[in-house]
Amino acid sequence: MPYSIVAMGTSWGGLSAMMKLLGGLPADFPIPIVVVQHRSKDSDRLLVQLLQDATPLHVCEVEDKDLLLAGSVHVAPANYHLLVEQGYLSLTTEEPVRYSRPSIDVMFSSAADTYRSETIGVVLTGANEDGSSGLAYIVKRGGRALIQDPKTAEIPIMPDAAVKAVPTAEVLPLDQLAPRLLELSRGAAKADRRTAV
Amino acid sequence: MAVPITEAPATGAEPDPLALKPDLERIEIELLLEGIFRHYGFDFRAYAYASIRRRLWKRIDEEGLTSMSALQQRVLHEPAMMEKLLLDLSINVTAMFRDPSFYVTFREHVVPLLRTYPFIRIWHAGCSTGEEVYSMAMLLREEGLYDRSRIYATDINEVVLQRAKAGIFPLDRMQEYTDNYMRAGGKRSFSEYYTAKYGGALFDHSLTKNVVFSQHNLVTDRSFSEFNVVLCRNVLIYFDKTLQSKVHSLFYDSLAMFGVLVLGSKETLRFMSHEECYQQIAPPEKIFRKVR
């Protein structure tokens, strides 16, 4: 089963969890990764910089209509929703969903609508329940769900809610998520390789 | 590799099972948008797909309908339903002094250019309920430029223009706006600009004495004048790339040489045919100057 997109959501504690997870992936990881991390609406580019320092993948903050690229981590900008289109990303300023903009549920649902069974959803540490209904929707559309084992999460509320919403999801300790993604990526759909940085 | 498929727990916003056939869903959405265009003249056919799909489903859920074709039936036969959908489809989320750093940069880098003009013409395209128009009017007044400026504030939606003209905004947002205003380099006390009235914050009417509010459709209408500044922030994100390119031609044609184009903070001119015609002033703010 080839995968075309990894959709990842996290909140409280997400920075260090993502640094660890993305740090465990190689520069030639073949599936584009899209990240929604809750953050203040005025936060600057520090998040992108810190993630970039932790991984060989190319980390970028999304601008409207950016192309989805293998080897890239596309991070939702503060104060916009991120929507996954076929091969690219769109931003919107629609109302916050469950007090969040960007909303993990909104990004997950659009990924599932666009890439269906080719979607891998990943929920990490966090202090609210955003992401759980989006993860359920990914699975409903035939995609795959991975959840950070709440026992290894800085704040277990978000992964706990996801486990409850998607009982069939794979629940893995943080340090086993990157190896599992690598495993799943073998046989991943051939995506465009980045040609320039 | 086997993929476990389970039923998601029922939620109120569960889409119709028809949506699980994405190609059919796409056909239905395209038919609906084509119908709206041919019957009402509103052209949403080149809007960004994921966003429009999301908003159509929201309307379907709120009406207690179950399919795209049921919505089509209602919209094409009930003008009132079209009105509702029009509000859904034109996103009207905005704020005074949204992205304060933009206003700081505008003061520093654009205001000096504007001072060299005897008369300043500004087009605010997609102004929605007007918060950013009032913000710009305050900025121009504080810089001593307002009396020789005219702002043409346009939107596709007549309802939001009426609200913009009324100049009454929710009181509960004044704290946020005051904070934005200060960080945007405001030179006075924000509360001088409004009085609490009619259950809202009524803004000083002299702020709109040089503002012309008017309906304009970026998709179908043409340029209507030549401007020194065109502001269009977080509007083009709702369009697909082809339509974005078309609207950029319209902006290019509407700008005087060395005029200034302002986009939203996460918008770009990349891959647009007019990219080479502009220079970005003071990145990362999305303020561009027409240079050829």
Side-chain angles (χ1 to χ4, degrees):
Chain A
M1 168 74 59
Y3 294 101
S4 297
I5 189 163
V6 175
M8 199 175 292
T10 182
S11 158
W12 191 284
L15 175 61
S16 61
M18 281 195 299
M19 286 169 76
K20 192 156 185 192
L21 194 168
L22 297 174
L25 294 173
D28 63 352
F29 185 70
I31 316 176
I33 299 171
V34 179
V35 170
V36 168
Q37 148 96 69
H38 291 162
R39 50 178 166 156
S40 101
K41 67 177 184 172
D42 297 314
S43 60
D44 55 13
R45 295 180 40 81
L46 186 63
L47 172 66
V48 166
Q49 194 52 56
L50 290 169
L51 289 177
Q52 186 61 83
D53 293 344
T55 175
L57 294 162
H58 176 72
V59 183
C60 53
E61 190 171 80
V62 174
E63 293 195 320
D64 184 50
K65 306 296 183 286
D66 272 354
L67 298 177
L68 280 166
L69 296 168
S72 285
V73 180
H74 304 272
V75 180
N79 212 14
Y80 288 85
H81 288 302
L82 180 57
L83 297 176
V84 176
E85 308 262 11
Q86 193 74 46
Y88 63 94
L89 299 164
S90 280
L91 299 173
T92 95
T93 56
E94 287 163 75
E95 295 287 357
V97 173
R98 291 214 245 180
Y99 311 106
S100 297
R101 186 173 63 201
S103 148
I104 301 168
D105 283 336
V106 168
M107 189 273 277
F108 277 9
S109 309
S110 72
D113 275 330
T114 302
Y115 284 106
R116 293 163 269 161
S117 62
E118 298 166 17
T119 310
I120 303 174
V122 184
V123 171
L124 304 176
T125 168
N128 58 57
E129 303 194 349
D130 191 14
S132 53
S133 67
L135 194 68
Y137 191 66
I138 287 174
V139 171
K140 185 179 175 183
R141 285 282 172 116
R144 178 176 283 271
L146 303 183
I147 302 170
Q148 177 182 4
D149 184 342
K151 289 197 288 289
T152 69
E154 200 168 321
I155 306 281
I157 297 172
M158 186 174 281
D160 268 336
V163 171
K164 213 172 142 202
V166 192
T168 57
E170 287 182 65
V171 179
L172 296 168
L174 180 59
D175 59 5
Q176 284 176 36
L177 284 168
R180 183 63 180 135
L181 283 173
L182 256 178
E183 222 170 75
L184 292 170
S185 76
R186 304 217 169 97
K190 274 206 164 36
D192 294 333
R193 192 142 300 279
R194 314 185 35 85
T195 48
V197 173
Chain B
M1 189 174 298
V3 175
I5 298 180
T6 55
E7 277 304 304
T11 70
E14 207 63 54
D16 183 84
L18 195 63
L20 295 173
K21 302 182 183 116
D23 301 329
L24 196 52
E25 180 189 44
R26 184 151 200 143
I27 291 170
E28 284 199 305
I29 289 178
E30 284 172 6
L31 286 173
L32 170 61
L33 299 179
E34 181 69 26
I36 288 172
F37 175 62
R38 286 172 60 179
H39 188 57
Y40 293 103
F42 298 113
D43 194 352
F44 293 104
R45 295 173 300 172
Y47 272 47
Y49 183 70
S51 164
I52 207 145
R53 173 179 55 204
R54 177 165 181 267
R55 283 175 279 155
L56 290 172
W57 276 111
K58 239 167 132 175
R59 177 50 50 201
I60 289 170
D61 290 337
E62 272 171 37
E63 298 299 327
L65 303 171
T66 53
S67 71
M68 208 51 78
S69 36
L71 181 65
Q72 176 181 315
Q73 164 75 17
R74 297 283 300 274
V75 166
L76 292 184
H77 293 275
E78 299 171 25
M81 184 61 71
M82 184 64 236
E83 283 293 313
K84 275 193 200 174
L85 196 60
L86 196 56
L87 276 175
D88 295 336
L89 295 183
S90 53
I91 301 298
N92 294 300
V93 180
T94 177
M96 286 198 176
F97 295 98
R98 184 189 160 103
D99 305 321
S101 65
F102 154 69
Y103 290 91
V104 172
T105 307
F106 191 91
R107 278 183 207 267
E108 277 176 24
H109 294 271
V110 180
V111 163
L113 301 175
L114 300 184
R115 287 197 197 289
T116 65
Y117 300 136
F119 193 72
I120 303 159
R121 299 166 65 84
I122 297 175
W123 178 17
H124 198 126
C127 69
S128 186
T129 40
E131 283 84 341
E132 294 181 62
V133 177
Y134 284 80
S135 307
M136 184 55 68
M138 290 176 217
L139 185 156
L140 292 170
R141 177 181 284 181
E142 291 172 13
E143 299 296 337
L145 293 173
Y146 187 72
D147 286 336
R148 52 182 156 122
S149 302
R150 178 147 296 160
I151 302 176
Y152 295 83
T154 66
D155 201 276
I156 183 182
N157 190 327
E158 189 62 48
V159 177
V160 295
L161 285 172
Q162 290 305 329
R163 275 198 254 160
K165 270 184 219 175
I168 301 170
F169 299 101
L171 262 181
D172 59 10
R173 300 205 59 184
M174 290 307 125
Q175 188 55 53
E176 173 198 350
Y177 294 172
T178 303
D179 183 46
N180 282 355
Y181 171 80
M182 289 190 293
R183 290 188 299 135
K187 294 180 172 174
R188 294 166 58 171
S189 161
F190 186 66
S191 58
E192 287 175 33
Y193 287 110
Y194 67 89
T195 43
K197 218 172 188 176
Y198 311 120
L202 173 66
F203 275 73
D204 181 353
H205 272 303
S206 69
L207 287 171
T208 49
K209 81 179 158 73
N210 292 343
V211 180
V212 180
F213 290 101
S214 149
Q215 193 175 26
H216 181 276
N217 186 334
L218 287 172
V219 184
T220 50
D221 293 342
R222 303 176 61 90
S223 172
F224 55 95
S225 189
E226 191 175 76
F227 299 95
N228 308 108
V229 179
V230 173
L231 294 125
C232 186
R233 302 173 72 215
N234 300 315
V235 175
L236 300 187
I237 52 177
Y238 297 102
F239 298 168
D240 71 16
K241 271 190 195 167
T242 311
L243 181 54
Q244 285 183 345
S245 185
K246 193 179 149 200
V247 177
H248 273 301
S249 293
L250 174 64
F251 290 160
Y252 179 82
D253 292 341
S254 305
L255 271 172
M257 187 53 80
F258 305 119
V260 170
L261 173 67
V262 179
L263 302 177
S265 60
K266 302 299 167 194
E267 293 177 303
T268 140
L269 281 169
R270 261 177 308 149
F271 312 124
M272 295 294 133
S273 51
H274 289 96
E275 183 181 3
E276 300 299 314
C277 304
Y278 292 96
Q279 264 173 8
Q280 191 171 3
I281 303 173
E285 299 303 331
K286 300 303 172 63
I287 304 175
F288 302 89
R289 195 168 194 205
K290 176 173 168 178
V291 291
R292 59 177 70 89

